[in-house]
Amino acid sequence: MIEQRLDRLQAMMERMLGAMLRLARPPCSAVDLTPQQYMLLKLLDDEGPMSLSAMRERTSGAQSTLSETVARMARTGLVSKRRDSGDRRAVRVAITATARTLMRQRAKEFRARSELILSSLSLDEQERYVEAVETLVTLIERAVARDGASEEERR
């Protein structure tokens, strides 16, 4: 029984991820962001400049991968890196004005694309759709939190 659920879950998660990436990624973007780059820019846009170690605490993946991604983003002008005045060994990363404009444009495009989806549904279907997404996010966050707790217990 669990094997069938795992098969269904994997298939649906792959379909959902593909659909969400198509929805979130504009078809004619001048800058092609990876999902990780988008999430890092979103974090910096929401929280402000932070150290690489603070970014690592808030994201998944290896420290070396994060450092490489941030370095690539700095080379393309999406983020700036400066030595932390309080700790000369640390680097603070900030979103640039160019990237902030890009994020605003992406948010506007995502909203317009989402509006097209919702407007094709009845009011009842719209509500069910939004509730389903809220439920899914809550359940995934809960599962990730449990997995993170289990990982801490294993250490």
Side-chain angles (χ1 to χ4, degrees):
M1 187 65 138
I2 194 163
E3 290 298 321
Q4 291 172 330
R5 285 191 180 122
L6 289 171
D7 290 343
R8 285 175 48 212
L9 179 62
Q10 181 176 357
M12 288 300 106
M13 292 296 279
E14 289 170 357
R15 283 178 59 190
M16 182 178 65
L17 181 58
M20 292 304 291
L21 287 174
R22 285 189 304 276
L23 178 64
R25 184 174 287 171
C28 299
S29 178
V31 178
D32 191 24
L33 296 176
T34 67
Q36 183 184 26
Q37 289 172 329
Y38 177 84
M39 294 308 294
L40 291 175
L41 288 176
K42 179 84 173 112
L43 175 66
L44 292 170
D45 196 27
D46 291 347
E47 303 291 327
M50 61 179 61
S51 67
L52 283 171
S53 59
M55 291 173 74
R56 173 62 188 101
E57 290 172 9
R58 299 271 207 29
T59 62
S60 61
Q63 180 70 33
S64 60
T65 304
L66 176 64
S67 296
E68 291 169 17
T69 301
V70 169
R72 200 172 319 114
M73 292 169 67
R75 283 192 301 274
T76 59
L78 296 173
V79 298
S80 63
K81 296 179 358 181
R82 289 193 172 51
R83 289 277 172 216
D84 188 324
S85 59
D87 180 357
R88 301 296 293 164
R89 297 169 297 161
V91 172
R92 294 196 54 84
V93 181
I95 188 171
T96 63
T98 300
R100 186 168 279 114
T101 299
L102 176 67
M103 294 297 285
R104 298 296 175 271
Q105 178 186 355
R106 289 263 170 112
K108 189 176 180 179
E109 290 168 356
F110 180 82
R111 189 174 182 94
R113 294 170 88 180
S114 295
E115 184 177 0
L116 286 173
I117 292 170
L118 286 179
S119 65
S120 71
L121 304 173
S122 71
L123 292 178
D124 182 56
E125 289 170 328
Q126 289 177 21
E127 186 59 30
R128 288 191 356 234
Y129 177 83
V130 172
E131 286 176 359
V133 171
E134 288 172 341
T135 299
L136 185 58
V137 168
T138 299
L139 292 173
I140 290 172
E141 287 175 343
R142 190 181 313 156
V144 168
R146 284 186 193 146
D147 186 50
S150 299
E151 188 175 315
E152 289 295 320
E153 292 167 4
R154 288 190 295 260
R155 290 183 189 169

